[in-house]
Amino acid sequence: MSLSTIDRLMPELPEVETVRRGLAPHLFGQKIHKVLVRQYSLRWPIPDDFCEVLKGQTFQEIDRRGKYLLMHLTHGTLIAHLGMSGSFRLCDSDIPFKKHDHVIITLDNQTLRYHDPRRFGSLHWTTDQPLTHALLAKLGPEPLCDSFTAQYLFEMLNRRKKAVKSCLMDHHLVVGVGNIYAAEALFKAGVRPDRSACTVTPEEAKKLHTHIRYLLKRAIDQGGTTLRDFVNADDQPGYFQQTLAVYGRASDPCRVCNTRLESMIIGQRSSVFCPKCQQ
Ligand SMILES: [Zn+2]
């Protein structure tokens, strides 16, 4: 599987938010009658008592932190990460399981199924405040929240020497900016992805901040248009499609200046950029 194929399949923040919005109204108030784990070995093993603990509880709200879904139940929170290929779907109980349907949660009228061919996703149960969970406690701010400001981004970049693109994708600095959004925001801001983060000026940081937020918002808005497809899907979630300026377009002409786009590897991820538009 090529790098770009993996990126396209991998759920990013907008897809996870789309999943959250799609599932929340359907799950709210639904009681868990039975849990069947067909594969305990995900990125982290599902605990042995998972089925017993969840049984009898009722779904409340669903929140999101970074790419984690926080599914609040009566007595605690189910923390779910979709990894590289995970998806949830709601379907009738009598529909046969698919090969990679690892967890089956029987509700009042339907079943919620967790499907994950590559098994990099995870399901955790906690009765504590979920934001203090070891997986979540050290995450940076949400890119669409007020705490993520241009000034904050500038200060964070200013004290780091590694490539600016790697910093944007560092979840300790800000969550949810994956390879696609980092590449696109850097193009829009006119910043070469391999520049040392500390060379980014306040003006450039402001542009990066604006474009990161704009790209994520737009992606969430587009995801929102496919919610119905997502919930009803029996296979692929309804991920949005959008026109990308540089991502996946190595050797193609720049949409702005027609220069041939170049590609390099930064932090083991392919990074496409325009040598003319990005300085
Ligand atoms: Zn260009």
Side-chain angles (χ1 to χ4, degrees), residues 187 254 256-257 274 277:
F187 174 78
C254 172
V256 173
C257 73
C274 172
C277 293

Side-chain angles (χ1 to χ4, degrees), residues 169-197:
M169 293 174 65
D170 179 349
H171 291 177
H172 298 101
L173 194 155
V174 58
V175 297
V177 184
N179 201 20
I180 295 175
Y181 299 104
E184 294 294 307
L186 285 161
F187 174 78
K188 300 276 187 199
V191 176
R192 263 181 74 115
D194 59 339
R195 262 176 56 189
S196 175

Side-chain angles (χ1 to χ4, degrees), residues 211-275:
H211 289 294
I212 286 169
R213 285 166 67 105
Y214 175 76
L215 287 162
L216 291 172
K217 270 187 199 155
R218 193 178 64 167
I220 290 171
D221 289 345
Q222 292 181 353
T225 64
T226 59
L227 283 185
R228 190 181 156 78
D229 290 341
F230 175 78
V231 172
N232 292 334
D234 55 3
D235 193 4
Q236 289 297 313
Y239 291 158
F240 65 93
Q241 296 288 327
Q242 54 182 311
T243 306
L244 299 169
V246 287
Y247 181 83
R249 298 192 64 238
S251 303
D252 286 354
C254 172
R255 296 195 201 277
V256 173
C257 73
N258 232 24
T259 300
R260 196 177 135 105
L261 298 177
E262 293 180 11
S263 175
M264 66 172 92
I265 300 292
I266 301 172
Q268 299 177 319
R269 307 299 293 273
S270 78
S271 303
V272 182
F273 66 101
C274 172

Side-chain angles (χ1 to χ4, degrees), residues 88-276:
F88 281 104
R89 75 180 193 286
L90 280 161
C91 60
D92 291 339
S93 319
D94 55 358
I95 291 176
F97 303 143
K98 288 170 183 279
K99 184 178 176 194
H100 301 290
D101 283 351
H102 302 314
V103 179
I104 316 290
I105 299 178
T106 304
L107 307 166
D108 295 333
N109 304 314
Q110 286 177 301
T111 60
L112 176 67
R113 302 185 184 188
Y114 179 70
H115 181 88
D116 190 352
R118 295 169 73 88
R119 287 196 272 133
F120 279 105
S122 62
L123 296 172
H124 297 268
W125 169 251
T126 180
T127 52
D128 295 331
Q129 158 57 255
L131 296 180
T132 64
H133 191 279
L135 291 169
L136 308 182
K138 289 182 180 163
L139 293 179
E142 288 287 325
L144 298 177
C145 285
D146 293 344
S147 55
F148 181 65
T149 63
Q151 179 64 22
Y152 166 86
L153 179 61
F154 171 71
E155 285 169 12
M156 287 295 130
L157 294 176
N158 196 245
R159 64 174 80 147
R160 287 166 164 85
K161 287 196 173 123
K162 61 180 180 174
V164 56
K165 179 159 178 273
S166 300
C167 291
L168 294 180
M169 293 174 65
D170 179 349
H171 291 177
H172 298 101
L173 194 155
V174 58
V175 297
V177 184
N179 201 20
I180 295 175
Y181 299 104
E184 294 294 307
L186 285 161
F187 174 78
K188 300 276 187 199
V191 176
R192 263 181 74 115
D194 59 339
R195 262 176 56 189
S196 175
C198 60
T199 69
V200 171
T201 66
E203 198 53 40
E204 288 170 331
K206 199 171 172 187
K207 285 184 192 167
L208 281 170
H209 175 261
T210 299
H211 289 294
I212 286 169
R213 285 166 67 105
Y214 175 76
L215 287 162
L216 291 172
K217 270 187 199 155
R218 193 178 64 167
I220 290 171
D221 289 345
Q222 292 181 353
T225 64
T226 59
L227 283 185
R228 190 181 156 78
D229 290 341
F230 175 78
V231 172
N232 292 334
D234 55 3
D235 193 4
Q236 289 297 313
Y239 291 158
F240 65 93
Q241 296 288 327
Q242 54 182 311
T243 306
L244 299 169
V246 287
Y247 181 83
R249 298 192 64 238
S251 303
D252 286 354
C254 172
R255 296 195 201 277
V256 173
C257 73
N258 232 24
T259 300
R260 196 177 135 105
L261 298 177
E262 293 180 11
S263 175
M264 66 172 92
I265 300 292
I266 301 172
Q268 299 177 319
R269 307 299 293 273
S270 78
S271 303
V272 182
F273 66 101
C274 172
K276 191 172 171 191

